[in-house]
Amino acid sequence: MAKKTTKKAVIFIVEGKSDKKALEHIFQVIYKHKNVTFEFTRGDVTSDETLTLNEVVQTIYEKVESYRKEKKLNKNDIWQIVQIFDTDGTYIPESAIVTGETKEFYYTTEEISCKDREKVVRRNEWKSSMMNKLLKLSDIKGISYKCYFMSSNLDHALYNKQNLTDEEKELYSIKFYEMFEGHEKLFIKYLESDVVNGCPDSFPASWKYIKEELHSLERHSNLHIYFKENPYL
């Protein structure tokens, strides 16, 4: 009897549990010929100022290792790591960061406000630096690595909603999943018609675009490029 071939796994890393819920099933159905699994980071590792680049890379790798060991896979069974960042207005000019009335960062498509304005400035400097470094990576410990973005975050990109509570994120993720259930490939058209919003189709050009002006606060994504670079048929 021929030995059963293990499907290659693609590990998607997103920032929260509701992000995973919104997207995981859609990708699994579209890429039925692959073993697509979403692993999610507990918070935004690119904003954690206590971590060095090597520690961030190690954190990402540990997510993959956890999945690999759970599924009893070999390292070469992991085909690709794909990370989806929330841009969080990271690349906006400092003039678009203002003193506000809330302790939490409050986002619009034109500015970020917070009682502690300097906290936003420091976060943006750190996160943009960390994202830029990760963008230069082609692999993590020998496994292919590539990163895409949702702007200003996944909620904004997919639902056109900003500043959602955790409970609202959960509710919208369920509604989003249900909206495409049985019609998962329409998600790609939805990205192109409602979410890309002028973002270039070239991967390098899309990242250049999101770093300019207020684009990292506006509603954009370059995730559509993943489907162009990885045909599902």
Side-chain angles (χ1 to χ4, degrees):
M1 182 181 294
K3 183 179 179 180
K4 184 179 179 180
T5 302
T6 301
K7 289 185 177 181
K8 296 290 184 179
V10 181
I11 310 299
F12 280 82
I13 300 177
V14 291
E15 291 191 7
K17 187 175 182 179
S18 62
D19 300 350
K20 171 181 162 77
K21 184 170 292 186
L23 293 176
E24 181 175 37
H25 183 73
I26 291 173
F27 273 84
Q28 288 176 337
V29 171
I30 291 176
Y31 289 102
K32 287 188 291 188
H33 63 293
K34 296 178 181 176
N35 180 12
V36 180
T37 299
F38 273 63
E39 287 300 306
F40 58 95
T41 59
R42 297 186 182 276
D44 179 8
V45 293
T46 57
S47 294
D48 189 342
E49 297 180 28
T50 67
L51 300 178
T52 65
L53 174 63
N54 287 340
E55 289 169 336
V56 169
V57 170
Q58 183 62 28
T59 298
I60 294 169
Y61 184 68
E62 286 171 1
K63 294 291 178 184
V64 176
E65 275 292 277
S66 176
Y67 169 78
R68 184 185 69 78
K69 291 176 181 178
E70 177 188 346
K71 300 299 182 181
K72 297 180 172 60
L73 300 175
N74 296 317
K75 184 176 177 180
N76 60 10
D77 293 326
I78 309 297
W79 178 61
Q80 186 181 42
I81 304 167
V82 178
Q83 188 156 11
I84 302 177
F85 293 124
D86 289 349
T87 61
D88 291 326
T90 299
Y91 295 106
I92 61 174
E94 282 193 30
S95 58
I97 303 172
V98 301
T99 302
E101 298 180 353
T102 61
K103 291 182 180 180
E104 298 78 23
F105 296 0
Y106 189 85
Y107 297 87
T108 73
T109 55
E110 297 179 344
E111 64 184 24
I112 305 174
S113 65
C114 179
K115 281 186 176 181
D116 185 353
R117 178 184 179 276
E118 289 305 309
K119 185 177 180 180
V120 185
V121 173
R122 290 194 305 271
R123 190 286 306 266
N124 279 11
E125 288 176 350
W126 178 263
K127 180 168 181 173
S128 61
S129 172
M130 190 60 65
M131 289 172 67
N132 290 342
K133 290 175 181 177
L134 289 172
L135 260 173
K136 295 178 182 178
L137 300 181
S138 59
D139 72 273
I140 290 181
K141 298 185 184 294
I143 303 173
S144 174
Y145 172 80
K146 202 158 188 180
C147 40
Y148 299 83
F149 61 77
M150 295 283 190
S151 183
S152 56
N153 59 22
L154 184 139
D155 308 326
H156 188 201
L158 296 188
Y159 323 139
N160 199 21
K161 299 290 182 181
Q162 292 179 288
N163 307 298
L164 294 179
T165 65
D166 289 343
E167 292 76 14
E168 289 170 333
K169 288 174 183 284
E170 183 74 10
L171 179 61
Y172 273 99
S173 69
I174 294 171
K175 288 183 177 180
F176 191 81
Y177 158 80
E178 291 175 345
M179 181 170 69
F180 290 101
E181 191 171 13
H183 310 280
E184 285 78 10
K185 291 178 184 177
L186 291 180
F187 171 69
I188 303 171
K189 293 183 179 179
Y190 175 76
L191 279 178
E192 294 173 341
S193 64
D194 287 53
V195 186
V196 173
N197 291 324
C199 186
D201 288 339
S202 157
F203 184 81
S206 68
W207 275 101
K208 180 177 183 296
Y209 175 86
I210 208 63
K211 294 178 184 181
E212 297 171 338
E213 302 173 8
L214 297 176
H215 295 323
S216 61
L217 273 180
E218 298 165 351
R219 189 186 185 195
H220 298 291
S221 178
N222 66 348
L223 188 58
H224 66 298
I225 298 172
Y226 182 85
F227 297 99
K228 295 179 184 297
E229 295 181 343
N230 299 276
Y232 52 85
L233 297 178

